[in-house]
Amino acid sequence: AQTVTQSQPEMSVQEAETVTLSCTYDTSESDYYLFWYKQPPSRQMILVIRQEAYKQQNATENRFSVNFQKAAKSFSLKISDSQLGDAAMYFCAYIGSNYQLIWGAGTKLIIKP
Amino acid sequence: DSGVTQTPKHLITATGQRVTLRCSPRSGDLSVYWYQQSLDQGLQFLIQYYNGEERAKGNILERFSAQQFPDLHSELNLSSLELGDSALYFCASSPSASARTDTQYFGPGTRLTVL
């Protein structure tokens, strides 16, 4: 079965510091895509970053980067220079050959001023 | 603003009733996806339409149905509503049929409360 696990229900970080959110997934496929979405209090779902499994290079978007370990089936999100606006629920998601986006349960990120 | 619109923003109704949620995709996008997010939960994929045709089906109940019209807007119909159907319903759109390679852009959601 395809599953996505986010083991940290809640994380907190001091403003301007770095935080890493964990995500693991289970699949037998070799070609798939991984995503991190952010859901602020407004409940809008916003794409943060995506990673193609066949690419060895880790994706980066400004202060957001991933550590993709394909063999370990790990896809963590690193947020550098944390800002108050980064406070949100962060969801890891996977999509494979069945075309269904499978979501983790989410990690609530709290930014301390 | 993702360019995906959903109406209504909020909906309050009673058990046993039927409601229709509406979604307009981003300009140029041909695929529409529906998701359900129960309180403090991740999203559950319900169904995908591509250019008017059903493309993929997830954990959608038989009481729920959807369609995509020629102008590409989509409607999700929920009938015989139960208390457990209370949730945030998201619509997302993407350019092509490929949910794998496309990025899905989400609408603001419709908050459904069943009393």
Side-chain angles (χ1 to χ4, degrees):
Chain A
Q2 296 160 341
T3 58
V4 176
T5 302
Q6 293 179 249
S7 59
Q8 308 150 317
E10 187 174 296
M11 292 280 286
S12 63
V13 63
Q14 208 69 37
E15 191 176 5
E17 295 193 344
T18 295
V19 63
T20 298
L21 309 183
S22 301
C23 174
T24 58
Y25 57 94
D26 186 20
T27 181
S28 57
E29 296 180 291
S30 59
D31 184 20
Y32 50 87
Y33 297 78
L34 297 160
F35 304 83
W36 278 99
Y37 279 87
K38 167 184 176 180
Q39 188 177 38
S42 67
R43 308 292 281 186
Q44 177 83 40
M45 197 65 76
I46 303 164
L47 177 68
V48 174
I49 202 164
R50 59 177 276 159
Q51 173 81 41
E52 291 88 342
Y54 65 88
K55 287 188 178 178
Q56 292 185 335
Q57 186 174 4
N58 289 330
T60 300
E61 288 287 341
N62 300 313
R63 297 183 295 106
F64 298 87
S65 61
V66 299
N67 183 6
F68 175 49
Q69 302 287 331
K70 191 172 182 179
K73 296 179 182 175
S74 171
F75 181 60
S76 59
L77 176 70
K78 186 171 87 170
I79 306 173
S80 304
D81 185 25
S82 298
Q83 300 175 1
L84 294 178
D86 296 333
M89 285 290 289
Y90 285 81
F91 291 96
C92 176
Y94 154 101
I95 192 163
S97 59
N98 66 356
Y99 301 98
Q100 293 187 27
L101 202 53
I102 309 296
W103 299 75
T107 296
K108 182 177 183 179
L109 179 63
I110 298 167
I111 310 294
K112 298 177 184 176
Chain B
D1 184 358
S2 66
V4 179
T5 60
Q6 288 187 249
T7 56
K9 289 187 82 171
H10 302 278
L11 200 49
I12 302 174
T13 188
T15 54
Q17 295 298 305
R18 173 189 170 95
V19 297
T20 297
L21 313 183
R22 182 188 169 104
C23 168
S24 292
R26 293 187 321 157
S27 177
D29 284 359
L30 298 178
S31 271
V32 169
Y33 310 79
W34 286 98
Y35 294 90
Q36 179 192 57
Q37 184 181 31
S38 301
L39 189 64
D40 295 329
Q41 299 277 323
L43 278 73
Q44 293 285 324
F45 167 71
L46 296 178
I47 198 162
Q48 176 197 358
Y49 275 83
Y50 171 72
N51 206 20
E53 301 287 328
E54 183 182 304
R55 172 78 174 173
K57 212 166 186 175
N59 300 320
I60 188 167
L61 299 172
E62 285 192 14
R63 300 183 287 109
F64 296 1
S65 65
Q67 56 184 324
Q68 188 180 28
F69 294 86
D71 68 352
L72 300 176
H73 91 271
S74 178
E75 292 181 356
L76 179 67
N77 300 296
L78 314 177
S79 61
S80 302
L81 285 168
E82 303 174 358
L83 295 177
D85 297 328
S86 295
L88 192 56
Y89 290 85
F90 282 106
C91 165
S93 76
S94 73
S96 77
S98 178
R100 299 180 69 205
T101 55
D102 281 358
T103 293
Q104 296 181 29
Y105 293 90
F106 284 75
T110 292
R111 165 73 68 191
L112 173 67
T113 302
V114 182
L115 300 175

